[in-house]
Amino acid sequence: MTTPVGIVGATGAVGQRLVQTLAPHPDFEIAALTASSSSAGQSYREAAKWRIDSPIPDHVAAMTVSETDPAVVPDDVPLLFSSLPSGVGERVEPAFAEAGYLVSSNSSNFRTDPDVPLTIPEINPEHIDLIEVQREERGWDGAIVKNPNCSTITMVPPLAAIEEAVGIDRVDVSTLQAVSGAGYDGVTSMEIIDNAIPHIGGEEEKMETEARKLLGTFDGNSVEWLDATVAASCNRIPTLDGHLENVFVDTRADTTPEAIVEAFEAYPTVDLPSAPEQLIHVFDDPGRPQPRLDRNTEDGMAISVGGVQATAEGVQFNCLAHNTRRGAAGASVLNGELLAREGYL
Ligand code: NAP
C-alpha cells in the first residue's frame, strides 16, 4: 500500500523535481499540491510553468493546486515535502508540524536549530531521532526534518569518508554553481550569460555551518558539531544544473590520494528506494566530473568525484552533484523514505 504525500511549494523549480521524483515512486502517492495564493485554484498544468525535461505526469497535471495552509491539506496525508522560499517556510512549516504533519523540507530556515534533524540518510540517519527532542520541546504531534543546502550536500559525502578514514582539521571549498540553484526568478539571462558572479547571498555561511552539523555526533539529545573549520567561497556560473566544487582538506592524520580514493569507493550507500547503488563515483580522468556529462549519474543521486591529489596538509578533490535532484528534491524524498523506514509515518 502506498502512503499519500503532499508537496508544498509544488510549482517552483524544486517542487517540479519533487513531482517528477514522486510520480513513479513505489511507496508514495502524490495526494496534495500547494503553492502561493496566485496559483491556488488552478490546475497544476496551468499553475506550474513546467521546465523539466520529461512531461508532466498526466494525473498530477489535472490536480488542483491549493493554498499553503494546514486547514486545506487533507488530514490523511501524513507526509509533506516542502520547497517554499525560506521566509515562507519559516512561517508555514511550524503550522503544519503543529497540525500533525511530518514535513521533509528543502528550505534553509531552521536547518541549524538544535532540535531540528538535518539529515542525509547515507551519512547521519541516526540524527532523525532528534524528532523526539523537537516534539518534546515544541509540543508538536508532527515534526520538521531538513535536508541540507545543495552546495553542502555535494561535498559532505566525500568529507564523511575522509573524516572516518583520517579525520578533518579544516576544509576550504570554492563552488561553481548552476543557475537552477537560484530558482526560476533567481538570476536573469542578462546577468549570467558570458559571466560568473562571485557571490551567492548566504550560501557560504550555509556550507560552513551545515557541513559541521551533518558530520557531528548525536548523543540522543543533541548534536555536537564536527570540530573543524570550514571556509567556503561560492560562485554562480552559466550552467543549468549541477554544482561543481573544488575542495581542499587538511587532514588530522597523514594520508595518500590512493587511501582517500579507497575510502570514497568503500563509503556505503543505504537501502532506500531513491538511494544510489554507489554513493561516491570516482573518476581517474582529471578532467571529470563535469556538470553536463556527470550530473545525471545514477538518476542524479550520486556524488561524482575526481582530481584527488595530495596537498601539503592533506588532499584536494573536485566533486559534483545534481543540485535539484541530489541537492534538493531527491534529498527530501530520501529523508521521507528514512522517516517511513524508522516508523515515523
Ligand atoms: P521557486 O522556484 O521560487 O519556487 C517557490 C515555490 O514556493 C513555488 O511553488 C511558489 O508558488 C511557492 N511560494 C512562493 N511564495 C509563497 C507563499 N507566500 N505562500 C505559499 N507558497 C509560496 O524556488 P525553488 O528554487 O524551487 O526553491 C524552493 C526552496 O528550496 C527554497 O527555500 C530554496 O532555498 C530551496 N532549495 C533550492 C535548491 C535549488 O537547487 N533550486 C536546492 C536546495 C534547496 P507560486 O508558483 O504560486 O509562486
Side-chain angles (χ1 to χ4, degrees), residues 7-18 34-40 42 44 47-49 51 65-69 82-89 91-93 105-109 111 146-151 153 177-186 203 206 236 240-241 243 322-329 331:
I7 305 172
V8 297
T11 50
V14 176
Q16 293 185 18
R17 282 284 179 209
L18 281 164
T34 84
S36 74
S37 41
S38 61
S39 300
Q42 299 179 46
Y44 187 70
K49 286 158 198 74
R51 292 173 171 92
V65 175
S66 70
E67 297 274 358
T68 300
D69 180 343
S82 168
S83 53
L84 296 166
S86 58
V88 182
R91 182 167 48 79
V92 164
E93 289 173 356
S105 167
N106 282 285
S107 311
S108 58
N109 50 290
R111 280 189 191 138
K146 295 279 169 177
N147 52 266
N149 183 47
C150 43
S151 49
I153 208 167
Q177 297 182 222
V179 292
S180 62
Y184 288 129
D185 300 328
E203 196 85 353
K206 289 176 197 165
R236 186 77 67 199
L240 277 181
D241 291 313
H243 291 349
H322 195 299
N323 54 296
T324 59
R325 291 175 184 259
R326 179 78 238 194

Side-chain angles (χ1 to χ4, degrees), residues 78-79 94 96-104 114-117 127-145 218 220-221 339-340 342-345:
L79 175 62
F96 278 103
E98 191 170 10
Y101 299 92
L102 280 168
V103 182
S104 175
D115 63 346
V116 174
H127 291 203
I128 203 84
D129 291 334
L130 259 181
I131 284 179
E132 305 297 352
V133 177
Q134 186 187 108
R135 285 178 165 167
E136 182 77 26
E137 287 186 1
R138 307 202 191 202
W140 292 341
D141 291 330
I144 297 172
V145 173
F218 178 53
N221 283 306
L339 287 165
E342 297 304 309
Y344 282 104
L345 292 189

Side-chain angles (χ1 to χ4, degrees), residues 5-223:
V5 299
I7 305 172
V8 297
T11 50
V14 176
Q16 293 185 18
R17 282 284 179 209
L18 281 164
V19 167
Q20 184 193 40
T21 307
L22 288 167
H25 198 280
D27 302 330
F28 299 144
E29 180 191 345
I30 300 173
L33 301 168
T34 84
S36 74
S37 41
S38 61
S39 300
Q42 299 179 46
S43 70
Y44 187 70
R45 188 188 298 286
E46 288 168 315
K49 286 158 198 74
W50 188 258
R51 292 173 171 92
I52 302 273
D53 50 4
S54 63
I56 310 189
D58 283 340
H59 68 288
V60 181
M63 289 174 67
T64 302
V65 175
S66 70
E67 297 274 358
T68 300
D69 180 343
V72 300
V73 174
D75 292 341
D76 62 354
V77 176
L79 175 62
L80 303 176
F81 296 99
S82 168
S83 53
L84 296 166
S86 58
V88 182
E90 194 166 344
R91 182 167 48 79
V92 164
E93 289 173 356
F96 278 103
E98 191 170 10
Y101 299 92
L102 280 168
V103 182
S104 175
S105 167
N106 282 285
S107 311
S108 58
N109 50 290
F110 309 137
R111 280 189 191 138
T112 52
D113 281 16
D115 63 346
V116 174
L118 177 68
T119 49
I120 302 174
E122 298 97 326
I123 307 298
N124 62 336
E126 69 282 4
H127 291 203
I128 203 84
D129 291 334
L130 259 181
I131 284 179
E132 305 297 352
V133 177
Q134 186 187 108
R135 285 178 165 167
E136 182 77 26
E137 287 186 1
R138 307 202 191 202
W140 292 341
D141 291 330
I144 297 172
V145 173
K146 295 279 169 177
N147 52 266
N149 183 47
C150 43
S151 49
T152 307
I153 208 167
T154 304
M155 69 170 182
V156 161
L159 291 179
I162 296 175
E163 170 62 16
E164 265 182 33
V166 283
I168 293 174
D169 262 336
R170 181 183 172 94
V171 177
D172 291 274
V173 54
S174 177
T175 69
L176 300 99
Q177 297 182 222
V179 292
S180 62
Y184 288 129
D185 300 328
V187 266
T188 66
S189 54
M190 291 293 279
E191 285 173 305
I192 199 67
I193 292 174
D194 185 31
N195 208 7
I197 302 170
H199 174 70
I200 303 176
E203 196 85 353
E204 294 166 355
E205 192 194 344
K206 289 176 197 165
M207 295 187 80
E208 291 165 3
T209 54
E210 292 173 17
R212 295 178 53 226
K213 184 175 179 184
L214 285 157
L215 295 171
T217 311
F218 178 53
D219 67 3
N221 283 306
S222 61
V223 175

Side-chain angles (χ1 to χ4, degrees), residues 157-166 255-269 278-284 305-309 315-317:
L159 291 179
I162 296 175
E163 170 62 16
E164 265 182 33
V166 283
T255 189
T256 63
E258 293 74 22
I260 294 301
V261 166
E262 208 171 295
F264 287 162
E265 290 180 330
Y267 198 84
T269 184
Q278 172 83 27
L279 177 58
I280 303 173
H281 288 238
V282 183
F283 285 93
D284 287 336
V305 170
V308 184
Q309 296 176 58
V315 284
Q316 71 177 85
F317 60 91

